[in-house]
Amino acid sequence: MKKRTVIIPLILLALVAGVFLYLFSLLKPVSSDSGAVESVRIEVPKGKSIRTIGDELEEAGVIRSSKAFYFIVRFPKAAEVIYKSNAASTFILKSGIYFLNPSMNYVEILEELSSGKQEYVKVSIPEGLTISKVAEILSDNNIVAKDDFISACKDESFVRSLGIESTTAEGYLFPDTYYLTPDISSREVIKIMTDNFFEKIKSIPNLAEKTGKDLNEVVKLASIVEREYRVVEEAPIIASVFKNRLRYNIGLYSCATVEYIVTEIQGLPHPDRILYEHTHIDSPYNTYVYAGLPPTAISNPGLVSLEASTNTPKTDYYFFQVNNPEKGTHVFTKTLEEHNENH
């Protein structure tokens, strides 16, 4: 009987010790060497709960247990005993984008998440800008270096890894308002913008199912329509003119493509107006010289141009020209004779 009396407490002691050792192991960092693992980018939007953040940290491999993370936040006195720090007591979760390393312990992660160092920078990208113009906005807001962003946008292997059937990201940097951080990489920004593009086109009938070259053809056309229209109602009609000309292999004669050559390829200031010599520049982007669409998009279009270039109405128009520069409206004609009469 004495042996049994002694054995039972020993078993209980062993079980308790095992539980404590298990719990202690959950509180240890995932890695013991910060240089052996890469930091993980974690987004924390406003209103996200501690439990949700803990689950995301565990899934990303930053911490061992989301329950242990919640325990440290919920019982800050325990954190003081374990880590000799009052960080859990003063913890306030702040929105932002953080880079957390699996070598960090729970208290170090809490300090980072409440530091406020990674607050978003609001950046608005208007419709119709080129890669270089988007890069200027990002650079002016101290997000990324202009040249680095442009270079990443023109890295064909990277671009294709994003599901884009083109040599550049031109046309796929969706115009929108973004919340970014100063230490985000160019490639991360591009991925955010292109992911947004693929998400937004789901709202356009007949476009979301297009992929590869078919999608890229729509994007190229939309990028030209974006630079030509000013009145929303006219965007589909302008798209119809270009499609009619494409159907019969007639040059698009788009001034927007010539402007792209001058400003983006030749690197010259934007011309006050397109001159005769501009329309004769020998470039595959010159739709006055070469029929068909240019090799890549010439701007980053918004939903209006993408919709107009996808679900284009059928018309008999082959020409258009501005009839009210102040309002930006056009007159549309069917024949060259009618077109010349409006000059």
Side-chain angles (χ1 to χ4, degrees):
M1 293 296 293
K2 286 185 178 180
K3 285 185 178 179
R4 186 177 179 184
T5 304
V6 173
I7 290 172
I8 291 175
L10 286 175
I11 292 173
L12 290 173
L13 184 63
L15 287 172
V16 171
V19 170
F20 272 105
L21 286 173
Y22 172 71
L23 292 174
F24 185 76
S25 70
L26 293 181
L27 296 173
K28 293 171 60 180
V30 174
S31 174
S32 59
D33 184 1
S34 62
V37 288
E38 292 185 358
S39 294
V40 179
R41 181 175 178 271
I42 301 293
E43 294 189 29
V44 182
K46 289 182 180 179
K48 183 160 282 192
S49 70
I50 297 297
R51 287 186 183 276
T52 303
I53 292 298
D55 291 340
E56 291 180 0
L57 291 175
E58 181 181 347
E59 185 177 349
V62 176
I63 60 175
R64 293 180 184 274
S65 168
S66 61
K67 291 182 175 62
F69 177 80
Y70 183 75
F71 172 82
I72 291 298
V73 176
R74 183 71 178 79
F75 301 99
K77 290 296 182 183
E80 287 185 33
V81 174
I82 297 169
Y83 297 106
K84 311 300 181 186
S85 169
N86 68 344
S89 301
T90 59
F91 172 66
I92 299 175
L93 181 64
K94 294 185 178 181
S95 63
I97 298 179
Y98 300 89
F99 291 85
L100 306 176
N101 195 286
S103 66
M104 300 168 71
N105 63 39
Y106 287 81
V107 165
E108 290 172 332
I109 290 172
L110 292 181
E111 288 176 337
E112 189 67 21
L113 293 176
S114 62
S115 66
K117 295 177 183 177
Q118 302 293 334
E119 292 294 336
Y120 289 110
V121 176
K122 183 179 178 181
V123 181
S124 294
I125 307 298
E127 289 89 348
L129 297 188
T130 59
I131 286 173
S132 67
K133 294 297 187 296
V134 173
E136 284 180 9
I137 292 175
L138 295 172
S139 177
D140 290 344
N141 282 275
N142 299 313
I143 303 297
V144 295
K146 178 180 176 180
D147 290 345
D148 183 64
F149 183 81
I150 293 173
S151 177
C153 282
K154 295 182 178 181
D155 182 337
E156 185 174 348
S157 61
F158 169 61
V159 169
R160 290 186 182 275
S161 75
L162 299 173
I164 298 170
E165 191 72 27
S166 181
T167 57
T168 81
E170 193 82 87
Y172 296 85
L173 304 177
F174 193 79
D176 206 342
T177 296
Y178 295 92
Y179 294 86
L180 307 169
T181 55
D183 55 359
I184 193 171
S185 72
S186 292
R187 289 175 183 249
E188 286 177 307
V189 175
I190 294 165
K191 188 174 189 310
I192 288 171
M193 291 182 171
T194 55
D195 282 351
N196 191 25
F197 168 87
F198 286 109
E199 183 62 32
K200 290 294 173 64
I201 66 171
K202 291 178 182 178
S203 67
I204 300 177
N206 305 314
L207 182 57
E209 60 265 31
K210 291 185 183 294
T211 58
K213 291 182 179 179
D214 290 337
L215 174 60
N216 197 47
E217 291 297 292
V218 174
V219 172
K220 288 194 288 185
L221 176 58
S223 74
I224 299 174
V225 173
E226 183 68 53
R227 299 294 298 160
E228 294 281 3
Y229 92 89
R230 282 178 57 191
V231 178
V232 171
E233 292 76 16
E234 289 188 354
I237 307 175
I238 290 174
S240 77
V241 171
F242 287 142
K243 281 193 174 182
N244 287 339
R245 297 178 76 87
L246 287 169
R247 189 175 296 112
Y248 291 99
N249 202 35
I250 303 171
L252 299 184
Y253 280 43
S254 168
C255 291
T257 61
V258 177
E259 290 173 356
Y260 184 82
I261 297 168
V262 174
T263 60
E264 301 301 316
I265 298 176
Q266 297 182 338
L268 300 174
H270 194 288
D272 294 330
R273 58 194 180 94
I274 298 300
L275 304 175
Y276 176 80
E277 53 263 33
H278 291 142
T279 63
H280 285 70
I281 298 173
D282 188 9
S283 166
Y285 285 87
N286 191 344
T287 55
Y288 281 84
V289 176
Y290 295 95
L293 292 166
T296 68
I298 64 163
S299 75
N300 291 282
L303 289 177
V304 170
S305 295
L306 288 164
E307 166 77 36
S309 302
T310 304
N311 302 302
T312 311
K314 291 184 178 180
T315 72
D316 295 326
Y317 297 129
Y318 285 83
F319 304 89
F320 67 91
Q321 65 186 80
V322 175
N323 66 345
N324 189 323
E326 187 175 333
K327 293 182 178 179
T329 56
H330 297 81
V331 58
F332 298 87
T333 50
K334 300 177 182 179
T335 67
L336 181 60
E337 290 74 22
E338 291 176 319
H339 179 69
N340 288 335
E341 286 175 5
N342 287 298
H343 270 291

